[in-house]
Amino acid sequence: MVRFIIRRLLITIPTILVVITITWALVRLAPGNFYSGEKKLPAAIEKNIREKYGLDKPWYQQYGRMMWAIIGHRDFGTSLKYEGQSVNSIIFRSLPISAAVGLLAYVLALVVGITAGSIAALKQNSKWDHSSMALAMLGISVPNFVLGPILVLVFSLSLYWLPPSRWGGFPSRNLILPVITLAAVYMAYIARLTRAGMLEVLRSDYIRTARAKGLSETQVVVRHALRGGLMPVVSYTGPALAFLLTGTVVVERIFALPGLGNYFIQASLNRDEPLIIGIVAFIAITLLLMNLVVDVAYAFLDPRVRY
Amino acid sequence: MISCTDTSRNETFFGKTVPPERNILRYVTGDEPESLDPAISTGQPEARIYMALYDGLVDYDGKTLAPNPALAETWEVNNDSSELTFHLRHNGRWSNGDPIDANDFVYTFRRALSKELASRNAYLAYYIKNAQAYNSGMVFVRDQQTGKFLLAKDFSNEDANEPVSLKPIAPGTAEYPTSAQRSTPAADSGFHQEMHSPLRLVLPGDEKKRNDRLNQDAKLKSAVAGKEFVPVRAEDIGVEAVDNYTLRISLVQPAPFFTGLLAHQVFRLVNRKTVEQYGNRWTEPNHIVTCGPFKVKTWKPYDTLVVERDPMYWDAATVKLDEIHFYPMADNPSIMNLYKVGEVDAVLNHTVPNAWLETVRTKKDYMDGSEAAIDFLQINVTRPPMNDVRVRKAFNFAIDKEAWAKWRKIVKPLTAFTPEGIFQGYPQPKGDQFNPERARQLLGEAGFPVTKNSDGSFSCPKFPVDKVEYIYNTQESNKAMAEWMQAQWKQNLGVTISLRNMEWKTFLETRSKLDYSGFSRSAWSADYMDPFTFLSLFYTGGESGTGWLDPKYVAMLDEANRMLDPKKRYELLAQAEKYMIDNQPVIPIDTSAVNWVKKPYVKGMYPNPGSLFPWKYVYIERDRAKWDMTAPSLNEELSAQR
Amino acid sequence: MDLESEKRELTEAEDHIESRLNPVDPDMLHVGQEMAVAEGDVDPGPQHEFVRGTSLWQDAWRRLLRNKLAVFGLVVVVLVTIISVAGPTVIKRTLGFTPDYIPSNDPRLVKSFPPFTGPNGEFSWTHPMGTDNAGRDQLARVMQGGQISLFVGIIATLVSLLIGVTYGAVAGYAGGRVDDVMMRFVDVLYSLPYVIVVIVLLSMFRSQTARGQLILLFISLGSVSWLTMARIVRGQVLSLKNQEFVLAARATGVSNTKIVFRHLVPNTLGPVIVYATLTIPQIMLTEAFLSYLGFGVQAPLASWGSLAADGVQNIAIFPWQLIFPGVTMALTLFSLNFLGDGLRDALDPQMRTV
């Protein structure tokens, strides 16, 4: 187990560095720069700006300086577009927002999905089963950028119950629509996963034994079936986090939330190199570490799995 | 479609109209501000925030945008508008209580022009003597033995027609009109006398560039040999604190519009101690020191900037609002949605999307009015076939601007280059009107004959459509405009021009490098309320994105600016404008309208041509009877506000 | 010797975990389990007995037809495809306009009409889905959007298929260290924020031409989804490569390449088809949200995603601009998902739950 963890950690570091290098290369190869305004700048001012940001040195020097700062000091530099704001501070500030929305969405998805999926499995082939699975399929098929605006249309622009966008602090009414929009897909996936897992488990011998022993259905389900049936859900957490991230980007855009995803899109559009690299590196590290955590957790849950 | 019967959602206004519980204003400013440092940013979104936080010599009038006294109580302008003297009030205070004096202005101006700051607005201050030289890092040339500097006029071919500010002060002559209530300082400082001397020769600070320049001009090179190069310092800029409450500014040319320019954010005060102590982190909420009607309370970037009333402000008694919440948002439909649900009280200009106009314009909270801004198409005149003026004129004749204005609904057709109806008394020239016949004729004369087909459409097979394109930056309104223009040319000339859109930054670079063939969508808004802010686009070659630069035009502009009589000046400017339009380096399209919305309970905000608001006069009216039942007029007599 | 077996155990266990840990679709679990089974634990199941009885494909087809939802999915997908491809031409012939026709001669028509509404508010059959802000017929635009969305979905899936199948087959057949390294690489790629890097790529290299944009999309979307395909194929190949027919082929001197591509790969077709059918909607969804954000197709090309992006702008006053492309897209994805589910059920009878 320890060897496994160490191996994974050792792979993580060069991976991140490669990701950073590739991202940096992509940004540099693109045309355009970040300081252009509507009026063409007199040459002297443009020169001032280039000197100020060190853009006049040869590319390998710039690359070297950047990598040294990142590796040596964990310093991703200052945003090019936003004066005086360090990349680290931007990430630090926007992360809680993305995390709040993402985690709430996942928790909601778990609660609703597991419940719906379990019931569907227990009442297999019933109306409930068919309808909830159809609904789940709908959840997977309706894109979040369609669902979100429709929710906004109904609950905000027509009924005036909820704000249509923006972040209102935590907790606030502003969270409701983004969380539901983001959770929809995962609710669906988790319901299906739970149902599949539960069905498999419910057919197995040890459940038959439990029933034969005379345990109540609730006990059978909650104490025995659920543990095994939820395995697929647990193992889905890894990729789910990745998808949650990309889903968050769109949701943050729709609802104008100042989260990591929105900053990332802005940075891409602005060619804000340090910010792009910082966010990409941060996301990569998070994903890799979370995947590791999930794998390790899986080992604890399923005794058959050995590292 | 979305009808309801709640009393707060009456149909007269767009959406819910319930004033906020607290005495605050929630305003959408536009894109996220780059910085709270007023010297740095060029954009309008930042400008509105700076107007709340920082004060300058003068401030924009809420209706006319003319300069009103702010930190300067009175001022005098010399006889040919080349020198200004300001008398500051004595009760100006920073948000931390420190007093404000003329030295703060000197510091601010010098800092704004410093190379290290790399302010994109520095060019606005180039009218000040030695400002451009300092900002560009240039050097004077001094003879070590005599200590004298070489003069620019000795090495240029232009007529020496120097403004009063550069001429030595003859004894006994009144530099300023004598009607001034306060006299200009009698005791003349050495600095002032130094300012009243001809401009010194400047050369590039960079050695290589300097040598290139010298190698081009043998006379210059020989004159320079053996002399030393003295870098232009901040102290050389034509700004002087004559005493603690008197500020004098010397310009390199007559600039009658300069006072109005001083309301711009780059000239608003920054606190020296704070900047020197914290460097570029001075704008952080726990460091920042401001001098405007409001000060920073909290700032969550991409979220909200909350500013609160500053009790130290010299005019704090006038300030009505407790707080302003600035929301940085750029997506117009989202902004309108927030407005509809009542989450914001007013929004920035150009927010109502074209498709919404029919619905929103009928509402009473819609703000209409002309804007000091124009839309036009730039033409790259350096590449064929556009280098032929007949071709350019043909394409101009082929656009029906009236039809365009009808379609866009909120713009006025433009045939010249300055926005219509903005500058009082300016005899705006008329360019060419829509004339498709003439267009086809001209195109034929240029070698691309247009033939009429049997179904009534036209074709022009000889025209090199592969060499011409129309570029624009990606945005729905630009796309619609591009397609519309394309359809016009196809319909009237039989030529199908291909469209190419690109992302904003790529677009700017392509345009400024003249890397395109044909047309580029463009827009320009006034930096200050004078026609020159538009005409100066072609003052140097690089700014216009067209490659058109005509010394005759430049001379016409210079001559106009030398005029002391404003009426004559306007006439000469209009002549220059006509000359430029006749050469057709651009195709003017329209004058924009301001196009925004505000709730009827927001008072003191007017749909002025620049959409800039002196916030201290804005307040929330809770008495329904006193609400603005329509867009407040710009001509309304000022009531209890002053 | 000992080290070797320990290492193999580790590898086996990791394979086992990996396959369990990274299913892309919940029900693919089982197919995945089947496919990525550790060495020596081979139960090929009926789809590999391609010699006996009725052909596997006929069996599967019959099973598919019995699945009502899958049939519904198949029918809808085929219908949508036909309508998207042929629709604009039909409209041009009957009503006279193309998807990008702007009625600029009549300003009254250059605005967004609700569905089935004419210029004066009366009922009209001309625009069943209404018009967009420039007066363009929405139905024609949705069809055109469908062309692009489906086209990108299918081609990008094929790209990912090509890469994934080749990669997985080679890795599985090669085995040992090569397989190890190749799969490590896949693992690493799997845990990266792929879409994020794709966004950076697309934002930096916006292409002006339609062709350029599409090619960029194929490459970037295809390269996001080949990973699981590779895993699946590898697992299949692993389980197949010790079968008699392979040994026989090797004994008769058939080259390795031929073995991999002529013998092994065709036998992986079952799960490959299933997974491909399930990949198409995922790719379409990814393309749609990339276009929605502005990184995918640009004007004048339109896909359902970019139509939705256009439509959402005006949702406060013209909701039909979003609703129609959105519902059409949802319906198509819905059907594709059902079809994929049905195919998986048809090819893997153990999983039958309907």
Side-chain angles (χ1 to χ4, degrees):
Chain A
M1 165 75 88
V2 177
R3 264 183 56 175
F4 173 71
I5 296 180
I6 292 181
R7 262 180 70 167
R8 282 283 282 267
L9 284 174
L10 283 178
I11 294 188
T12 308
I13 298 173
T15 314
I16 304 288
L17 294 178
V18 168
V19 169
I20 292 178
T21 308
I22 293 179
T23 314
W24 179 86
L26 284 176
V27 174
R28 282 310 170 97
L29 287 171
N33 50 54
F34 73 96
Y35 54 78
S36 310
E38 178 77 29
K39 314 175 209 256
K40 178 178 190 329
L41 300 172
I45 294 187
E46 178 163 345
K47 180 158 166 289
N48 286 353
I49 294 182
R50 290 186 74 82
E51 269 179 34
K52 183 176 180 185
Y53 291 112
L55 296 174
D56 53 343
K57 304 220 172 35
W59 66 267
Y60 43 86
Q61 266 196 30
Q62 296 185 43
Y63 178 70
R65 277 202 330 194
M66 174 189 78
M67 289 306 263
W68 177 243
I70 293 178
I71 302 177
H73 313 288
R74 282 177 311 282
D75 172 18
F76 283 94
T78 321
S79 161
L80 294 183
K81 176 81 175 164
Y82 302 106
E83 294 280 327
Q85 295 186 40
S86 74
V87 169
N88 292 10
S89 72
I90 294 178
I91 295 181
F92 193 63
R93 178 178 69 219
S94 60
L95 180 61
I97 294 171
S98 301
V101 175
L103 282 173
L104 277 177
Y106 201 58
V107 165
L108 180 66
L110 280 175
V111 166
V112 173
I114 292 178
T115 318
S118 309
I119 300 182
L122 287 170
K123 298 194 178 153
Q124 192 182 0
N125 288 332
S126 69
K127 276 220 181 70
W128 172 267
D129 181 18
H130 289 306
S131 57
S132 65
M133 283 304 112
L135 210 60
M137 190 60 98
L138 207 63
I140 297 176
S141 311
V142 177
N144 51 9
F145 57 85
V146 171
L147 179 64
I150 291 185
L151 288 177
V152 167
L153 176 65
V154 172
F155 294 103
S156 180
L157 297 172
S158 305
L159 295 171
Y160 295 167
W161 286 351
L162 295 169
S165 61
R166 286 181 50 81
W167 176 253
F170 183 86
S172 76
R173 296 150 64 222
N174 297 60
L175 274 173
I176 300 180
L177 291 181
V179 166
I180 295 181
T181 309
L182 189 54
V185 178
Y186 307 103
M187 248 186 258
Y189 262 121
I190 290 175
R192 282 163 54 100
L193 268 176
T194 311
R195 177 179 177 277
M198 289 288 279
L199 280 177
E200 190 188 336
V201 153
L202 285 172
R203 281 200 284 246
S204 61
D205 291 339
Y206 74 96
I207 294 296
R208 253 193 306 146
T209 317
R211 286 203 179 113
K213 276 194 341 192
L215 290 175
S216 79
E217 195 61 17
T218 327
Q219 276 186 317
V220 168
V221 170
V222 175
R223 287 257 295 266
H224 298 280
L226 219 50
R227 271 195 65 185
L230 287 185
M231 290 303 218
V233 176
V234 172
S235 66
Y236 177 63
T237 313
L241 286 169
F243 295 134
L244 210 60
L245 208 84
T246 53
T248 316
V249 169
V250 180
V251 167
E252 283 176 23
R253 211 67 180 146
I254 297 174
F255 291 97
L257 303 174
L260 212 55
N262 209 347
Y263 266 106
F264 170 69
I265 301 290
Q266 277 303 122
S268 291
L269 292 173
N270 289 335
R271 308 247 163 80
D272 192 344
E273 183 184 295
L275 191 52
I276 296 177
I277 292 180
I279 295 184
V280 171
F282 180 79
I283 292 176
I285 296 177
T286 312
L287 274 185
L288 286 169
L289 287 179
M290 292 256 47
N291 274 317
L292 179 57
V293 165
V294 166
D295 288 353
V296 169
Y298 203 80
F300 280 114
L301 288 172
D302 186 349
R304 289 175 291 171
V305 171
R306 284 173 299 131
Y307 290 119
Chain B
M1 229 269 51
I2 306 172
S3 60
C4 18
T5 49
D6 191 308
T7 48
S8 68
R9 288 176 262 163
N10 51 38
E11 294 291 327
T12 339
F13 304 109
F14 186 65
K16 191 167 147 182
T17 31
V18 173
E21 281 165 16
R22 301 172 52 210
N23 184 19
I24 61 175
L25 179 78
R26 296 159 302 175
Y27 181 76
V28 177
T29 48
D31 273 301
E32 169 72 16
E34 277 181 80
S35 164
L36 292 188
D37 183 337
I40 304 253
S41 288
T42 55
Q44 266 206 329
E46 289 90 352
R48 298 182 189 104
I49 295 175
Y50 298 148
M51 284 179 71
L53 294 176
Y54 302 100
D55 214 2
L57 288 166
V58 294
D59 200 2
Y60 294 109
D61 178 88
K63 294 183 187 166
T64 63
L65 297 182
N68 284 340
L71 282 167
E73 279 181 329
T74 61
W75 59 87
E76 292 93 44
V77 181
N78 77 349
N79 291 329
D80 70 346
S81 305
S82 58
E83 190 180 284
L84 307 94
T85 305
F86 292 89
H87 303 281
L88 307 180
R89 62 182 66 251
H90 293 246
N91 58 345
R93 299 247 176 280
W94 294 99
S95 54
N96 61 2
D98 289 346
I100 293 175
D101 63 33
N103 297 306
D104 288 309
F105 278 100
V106 175
Y107 171 74
T108 300
F109 282 35
R110 288 181 181 167
R111 174 179 183 263
L113 286 164
S114 70
K115 268 192 67 167
E116 296 73 42
L117 191 65
S119 164
R120 288 175 230 166
N121 286 319
Y123 72 95
L124 288 170
Y126 280 2
Y127 297 104
I128 302 178
K129 184 166 181 184
N130 292 332
Q132 184 172 11
Y134 172 58
N135 188 247
S136 316
M138 295 192 152
V139 294
F140 294 134
V141 186
R142 181 169 63 185
D143 186 329
Q144 278 149 318
Q145 279 118 24
T146 63
K148 279 201 182 324
F149 290 89
L150 294 183
L151 300 178
K153 64 179 179 179
D154 296 333
F155 298 95
S156 81
N157 306 325
E158 291 157 23
D159 296 336
N161 204 341
E162 285 165 336
V164 170
S165 60
L166 298 181
K167 300 206 185 95
I169 310 169
T173 50
E175 190 186 350
Y176 285 80
T178 47
S179 57
Q181 284 165 334
R182 292 204 214 182
S183 56
T184 49
D188 223 354
S189 63
F191 184 78
H192 191 207
Q193 285 175 339
E194 176 54 53
M195 284 295 116
H196 271 268
S197 62
L199 277 173
R200 297 179 190 161
L201 175 70
V202 288
L203 291 174
D206 172 57
E207 192 170 338
K208 181 171 182 305
K209 289 215 183 80
R210 191 167 58 226
N211 291 337
D212 286 344
R213 169 94 194 274
L214 290 176
N215 289 335
Q216 286 168 359
D217 188 338
K219 176 185 173 201
L220 190 61
K221 190 165 181 184
S222 59
V224 157
K227 308 241 178 11
E228 65 169 340
F229 297 116
V230 181
V232 180
R233 306 159 307 157
E235 290 77 5
D236 295 316
I237 300 175
V239 186
E240 182 191 1
V242 182
D243 58 49
N244 275 350
Y245 294 102
T246 312
L247 185 75
R248 187 153 49 199
I249 305 180
S250 305
L251 307 179
V252 292
Q253 65 174 82
F257 47 84
F258 194 69
T259 319
L261 188 50
L262 285 170
H264 191 274
Q265 60 237 35
V266 74
F267 299 110
R268 297 196 181 214
L269 288 185
V270 298
N271 185 276
R272 175 180 201 154
K273 273 196 276 199
T274 315
V275 174
E276 285 177 347
Q277 185 174 358
Y278 297 109
N280 65 353
R281 299 185 54 188
W282 74 272
T283 53
E284 283 173 19
N286 50 342
H287 296 154
I288 191 172
V289 171
T290 55
C291 55
F294 294 87
K295 56 179 180 175
V296 175
K297 186 176 178 191
T298 60
W299 185 23
K300 286 192 231 127
Y302 257 132
D303 187 344
T304 318
L305 167 64
V306 178
V307 301
E308 60 184 354
R309 180 211 308 259
D310 181 0
M312 290 291 167
Y313 180 60
W314 63 268
D315 202 11
T318 314
V319 179
K320 308 260 191 354
L321 292 167
D322 287 336
E323 285 177 10
I324 303 181
H325 293 217
F326 289 117
Y327 296 158
M329 298 178 67
D331 182 44
N332 290 343
S334 311
I335 298 175
M336 293 303 292
N337 288 349
L338 276 178
Y339 180 87
K340 182 166 194 239
V341 178
E343 297 269 320
V344 298
D345 307 302
V347 303
L348 67 155
N349 52 339
H350 297 164
T351 306
V352 182
N354 207 35
W356 298 38
L357 276 172
E358 231 178 81
T359 319
V360 177
R361 245 205 318 200
T362 58
K363 307 292 179 198
K364 301 277 187 265
D365 48 351
Y366 178 70
M367 298 291 122
D368 201 357
S370 292
E371 199 169 46
I374 58 176
D375 290 308
F376 59 102
L377 303 181
Q378 292 168 323
I379 310 180
N380 185 349
V381 305
T382 61
R383 292 197 192 175
M386 290 301 155
N387 54 349
D388 185 338
V389 67
R390 292 172 296 189
V391 175
R392 302 200 292 268
K393 289 188 108 51
F395 276 84
N396 184 38
F397 274 120
I399 302 237
D400 185 357
K401 292 160 195 174
E402 300 275 341
W404 166 255
K406 274 212 194 79
W407 185 68
R408 275 283 278 138
K409 303 185 194 95
I410 50 160
V411 298
K412 286 196 284 223
L414 184 69
T415 54
F417 202 63
T418 47
E420 201 184 299
I422 296 290
F423 304 116
Q424 300 286 21
Y426 179 70
Q428 194 192 31
K430 291 245 174 297
D432 295 324
Q433 300 288 326
F434 176 53
N435 192 337
E437 264 304 316
R438 182 108 183 85
R440 291 189 280 271
Q441 189 187 18
L442 274 174
L443 205 55
E445 279 174 30
F448 310 111
V450 181
T451 52
K452 188 162 182 174
N453 303 329
S454 48
D455 62 356
S457 68
F458 295 96
S459 54
C460 184
K462 273 206 172 138
F463 193 80
V465 286
D466 55 324
K467 288 222 185 77
V468 177
E469 60 182 350
Y470 176 118
I471 65 171
Y472 63 96
N473 59 306
T474 315
Q475 218 198 73
E476 187 54 42
S477 50
N478 296 345
K479 180 169 150 200
M481 179 173 173
E483 289 168 351
W484 200 92
M485 300 294 151
Q486 184 188 48
Q488 284 278 293
W489 287 324
K490 177 150 188 236
Q491 191 178 316
N492 296 318
L493 292 176
V495 177
T496 306
I497 304 289
S498 59
L499 307 177
R500 184 156 72 106
N501 68 309
M502 53 189 81
E503 193 241 333
W504 177 239
K505 298 197 173 290
T506 317
F507 173 67
L508 289 171
E509 184 153 318
T510 309
R511 223 172 43 166
S512 70
K513 286 208 180 104
L514 293 180
D515 218 350
Y516 68 101
S517 286
F519 310 94
S520 162
R521 178 248 155 203
S522 189
W524 193 259
S525 58
D527 281 325
Y528 45 92
M529 295 303 286
D530 185 274
F532 192 65
T533 179
F534 291 95
L535 302 177
S536 60
L537 257 183
F538 297 98
Y539 196 69
T540 62
E543 284 193 26
S544 68
T546 63
W548 186 80
L549 180 59
D550 190 329
K552 182 161 171 219
Y553 176 73
V554 175
M556 287 172 87
L557 287 181
D558 279 340
E559 201 197 324
N561 274 332
R562 281 194 278 268
M563 285 298 134
L564 301 182
D565 174 17
K567 191 149 171 287
K568 191 87 177 81
R569 177 173 175 269
Y570 267 8
E571 274 172 29
L572 288 179
L573 283 178
Q575 282 174 17
E577 186 180 342
K578 181 96 176 76
Y579 177 78
M580 187 268 286
I581 281 299
D582 283 341
N583 276 282
Q584 213 78 55
V586 295
I587 297 182
I589 301 289
D590 62 49
T591 310
S592 330
V594 290
N595 192 26
W596 50 288
V597 284
K598 76 164 176 65
K599 298 290 180 193
Y601 49 78
V602 177
K603 306 274 293 177
M605 275 177 89
Y606 299 91
N608 61 51
S611 301
L612 295 169
F613 314 105
W615 297 109
K616 63 184 177 184
Y617 299 117
V618 178
Y619 62 99
I620 305 285
E621 177 60 71
R622 307 216 175 243
D623 180 358
R624 260 190 108 116
K626 297 202 186 126
W627 283 7
D628 275 337
M629 294 312 285
T630 172
S633 159
L634 296 182
N635 299 321
E636 176 184 299
E637 277 310 307
L638 300 176
S639 53
Q641 287 167 7
R642 294 286 171 79
Chain C
M1 266 286 265
D2 273 354
L3 277 170
E4 190 58 39
S5 64
E6 189 195 355
K7 184 186 154 217
R8 257 209 319 181
E9 229 176 46
L10 246 150
T11 325
E12 280 174 21
E14 275 177 329
D15 286 336
H16 191 69
I17 308 298
E18 247 74 86
S19 67
R20 275 184 156 291
L21 292 183
N22 298 296
V24 178
D25 175 284
D27 300 302
M28 280 306 295
L29 236 202
H30 290 267
V31 183
Q33 264 179 329
E34 274 230 325
M35 302 309 128
V37 123
E39 264 179 80
D41 188 7
V42 181
D43 178 25
Q47 60 263 45
H48 305 302
E49 292 180 3
F50 58 97
V51 190
R52 287 189 227 133
T54 48
S55 107
L56 130 87
W57 300 104
Q58 283 177 342
D59 260 353
W61 181 247
R62 245 182 275 128
R63 272 199 290 270
L64 183 68
L65 286 178
R66 257 181 271 149
N67 181 343
K68 281 182 272 189
L69 282 174
V71 171
F72 165 76
L74 181 61
V75 166
V76 170
V77 168
V78 168
L79 265 179
V80 169
T81 316
I82 294 180
I83 295 179
S84 299
V85 172
T89 330
V90 170
I91 292 188
K92 177 99 199 277
R93 294 267 172 79
T94 54
L95 291 169
F97 45 73
T98 56
D100 40 21
Y101 172 71
I102 301 178
S104 46
N105 3 338
D106 187 355
R108 293 180 319 144
L109 294 180
V110 182
K111 55 179 257 207
S112 189
F113 289 104
F116 294 114
T117 315
N120 301 315
E122 79 281 12
F123 185 86
S124 147
W125 284 107
T126 324
H127 299 294
M129 286 189 181
T131 59
D132 71 356
N133 292 340
R136 287 180 280 214
D137 178 41
Q138 281 265 92
L139 181 57
R141 292 205 86 203
V142 169
M143 288 180 191
Q144 197 184 43
Q147 285 178 5
I148 301 289
S149 292
L150 286 167
F151 184 58
V152 171
I154 294 175
I155 303 287
T157 305
L158 283 176
V159 169
S160 93
L161 248 180
L162 261 139
I163 307 178
V165 166
T166 318
Y167 194 90
V170 167
Y173 190 69
R177 283 225 75 196
V178 175
D179 174 34
D180 203 25
V181 166
M182 286 177 91
M183 281 301 132
R184 278 302 142 259
F185 183 61
V186 167
D187 291 342
V188 166
L189 286 184
Y190 214 100
S191 39
L192 283 183
Y194 232 134
V195 185
I196 303 292
V197 180
V198 164
I199 287 182
V200 177
L201 172 78
L202 287 175
S203 72
M204 296 299 147
F205 293 95
R206 305 279 192 87
S207 168
Q208 271 74 40
T209 64
R211 249 184 54 182
Q213 292 165 24
L214 289 176
I215 293 182
L216 259 181
L217 276 174
F218 297 151
I219 299 179
S220 41
L221 291 173
S223 60
V224 170
S225 11
W226 66 267
L227 297 171
T228 318
M229 182 74 75
R231 276 228 181 98
I232 290 179
V233 171
R234 170 192 176 263
Q236 265 289 63
V237 166
L238 270 181
S239 69
L240 285 177
K241 75 177 184 188
N242 290 326
Q243 296 248 302
E244 287 139 3
F245 72 97
V246 175
L247 295 172
R250 248 191 262 162
T252 49
V254 180
S255 78
N256 275 339
T257 329
K258 273 228 185 88
I259 294 182
V260 169
F261 289 106
R262 292 279 281 304
H263 297 282
L264 288 173
V265 166
N267 284 307
T268 68
L269 270 184
V272 163
I273 289 183
V274 172
Y275 188 65
T277 319
L278 290 173
T279 308
I280 297 180
Q282 278 168 32
I283 288 192
M284 286 175 70
L285 205 52
T286 310
E287 179 272 321
F289 95 73
L290 285 175
S291 297
Y292 179 84
L293 291 175
F295 299 110
V297 299
Q298 318 282 334
L301 273 190
S303 79
W304 282 328
S306 67
L307 284 177
D310 291 345
V312 100
Q313 302 278 315
N314 304 303
I315 199 171
I317 49 177
F318 307 133
W320 56 88
Q321 287 182 10
L322 168 74
I323 292 183
F324 283 111
V327 166
T328 313
M329 174 161 211
L331 188 64
T332 312
L333 295 181
F334 196 64
S335 313
L336 277 168
N337 279 323
F338 270 132
L339 181 61
D341 265 3
L343 275 174
R344 192 207 50 247
D345 287 354
L347 291 173
D348 180 9
Q350 283 180 351
M351 257 304 296
R352 282 182 61 198
T353 53
V354 177

